[in-house]
């Protein structure tokens, strides 16, 4: 088995083929990966040819964290994606820059909204793409706060922040982890 993850996508970055290592990173099997957006499943992956893009990757159960160097290369009418684990090198770099103690904070910032602590758009998109690939049934709830701008304009941004945090806490208290 290769330690390097490979995927072939069309020009819209929809997966056509993955090797077992890439399927493992995506949290899907090879068949479930086909037709899915690689950048949506592998947050931070380039959407056009690029080399050496370093992204933070966390396993679905959040027990494993890796730094991946991802390259996207033209391949005839398609793209070839290559992901290499550079965790050891990246961790040494963070320690040398004296950022090692901030490692968990940096990882959280990649996945969460800093105000509410809820998953951000990147985390939500990746999870939705994965759930669709797995054929999981469910629903997506979208909330629109009418006239929210008025709260910020009339009461100030700190009041608007309190409303957002209160709403986030209500959602967190009433939904289970799988929801």
């Amino acid at each position: 088995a290769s330690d390097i993850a490979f995927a072939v996508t069309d020009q819209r970055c929809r997966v056509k083929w993955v090797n077992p290592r890439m399927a493992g990173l995506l949290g899907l099997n090879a068949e479930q990966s086909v037709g899915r957006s690689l950048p949506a499943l592998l947050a931070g992956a380039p959407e056009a040819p690029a080399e050496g893009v370093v992204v933070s990757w966390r396993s679905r159960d959040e027990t494993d964290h890796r730094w991946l160097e991802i390259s996207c290369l033209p391949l005839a009418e398609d793209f070839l994606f290559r992901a290499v684990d550079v965790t050891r090198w990246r961790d040494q770099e963070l320690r040398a820059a004296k950022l090692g103690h901030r490692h968990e904070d940096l990882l959280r910032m990649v996945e969460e909204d800093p105000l509410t602590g809820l998953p951000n758009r990147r985390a939500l998109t990746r999870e939705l793409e994965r759930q669709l690939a797995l054929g999981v049934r469910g629903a997506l709830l979208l909330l629109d706060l009418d006239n929210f701008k008025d709260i910020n304009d009339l009461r100030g941004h700190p009041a608007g922040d309190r409303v957002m945090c209160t709403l986030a806490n209500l959602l967190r208290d009433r939904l289970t982890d799988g929801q």
Side-chain angles (χ1 to χ4, degrees):
S2 173
D3 286 338
I4 301 175
F6 289 102
V8 175
T9 72
D10 63 18
Q11 298 254 336
R12 291 180 26 225
C13 296
R14 298 282 173 196
V15 173
K16 294 173 103 174
W17 172 87
V18 295
N19 71 348
R21 178 79 170 126
M22 182 64 83
L25 288 175
L26 301 178
L28 304 169
N29 66 40
E31 294 79 29
Q32 292 168 328
S33 301
V34 173
R36 299 292 163 195
S37 167
L38 187 70
L41 288 169
L42 195 56
E47 296 185 29
E51 290 197 46
V53 177
V54 177
V55 301
S56 173
W57 173 87
R58 205 181 276 242
S59 62
R60 190 163 176 224
D61 61 6
E62 298 192 7
T63 59
D64 189 22
H65 172 262
R66 301 269 170 222
W67 292 101
L68 303 174
E69 183 179 84
I70 302 176
S71 295
C72 173
L73 307 168
L75 179 70
E77 296 295 314
D78 298 322
F79 292 143
L80 172 66
F81 282 83
R82 179 185 71 226
V84 179
D85 187 338
V86 294
T87 303
R88 186 181 317 199
W89 165 80
R90 188 65 171 184
D91 285 346
Q92 288 174 348
E93 190 177 70
L94 287 172
R95 278 193 296 279
K98 303 206 185 311
L99 294 175
H101 64 288
R102 303 288 303 196
H103 186 77
E104 286 301 315
D105 292 339
L106 292 170
L107 294 177
R108 191 172 42 258
M109 288 169 53
V110 169
E111 299 287 323
E112 290 181 2
D113 173 74
L115 177 65
T116 64
L118 293 174
N120 63 17
R121 183 185 344 194
R122 172 184 283 186
L124 179 64
T125 301
R126 184 184 61 245
E127 190 58 27
L128 284 173
E129 190 75 31
R130 185 177 290 127
Q131 295 298 323
L132 288 170
L134 292 170
V136 174
R137 293 177 46 141
L140 176 63
L141 173 67
L142 298 176
L143 299 176
D144 182 19
L145 301 179
D146 289 337
N147 304 315
F148 182 75
K149 184 180 179 309
D150 292 344
I151 295 171
N152 282 332
D153 290 347
L154 297 172
R155 303 284 184 209
H157 288 279
D161 289 353
R162 285 192 300 276
V163 169
M164 293 301 292
C165 288
T166 300
L167 180 59
N169 288 332
L170 286 169
L171 289 171
R172 217 180 337 269
D173 290 345
R174 285 164 177 74
L175 298 176
T176 64
D177 283 342
Q179 295 181 306

